[in-house]
Amino acid sequence: MSNRDETFAKVAEAIEPFNKKGIDLTEATTFAGDLEWDSLTVMDFVAAVEDEFDIIITMNMQAEIETVGQLVDAVEKLRA
């Protein structure tokens, strides 16, 4: 399993408590559209991801991240 695959698995695990609709996650799953998250859910989730990976995701980065795959790429970049 590659580092990116491991990161995807950890991100998917972090999404689980917030995945109220039970959506099957893919790289293309969107937070606003598919998961139907509001801004409060996003903030809670971002905090969980930051804690899990010991990173800081800036507001500018958050604004650009729309899919699970984009989040995995951002986490990988921040951890490098």
Side-chain angles (χ1 to χ4, degrees):
M1 184 181 274
S2 74
N3 282 348
R4 194 174 189 292
D5 289 340
E6 288 176 23
T7 300
F8 180 89
K10 283 186 178 180
V11 166
E13 193 175 299
I15 290 171
E16 234 10 80
F18 301 97
N19 188 357
K20 304 296 185 215
K21 296 178 69 186
I23 301 291
D24 288 332
L25 300 178
T26 69
E27 296 272 334
T29 301
T30 61
F31 297 106
D34 297 324
L35 295 170
E36 296 180 4
W37 287 0
D38 59 19
S39 58
L40 184 60
T41 303
V42 170
M43 295 303 285
D44 288 344
F45 172 69
V46 167
V49 168
E50 288 176 333
D51 289 347
E52 172 69 32
F53 293 102
D54 196 26
I55 57 173
I56 300 292
I57 301 173
T58 65
M59 294 300 276
N60 287 345
M61 285 184 85
Q62 288 180 38
E64 295 174 8
I65 297 171
E66 296 178 5
T67 68
V68 173
Q70 288 172 331
L71 175 61
V72 171
D73 290 339
V75 168
E76 286 284 295
K77 188 170 143 189
L78 288 167
R79 292 174 73 197

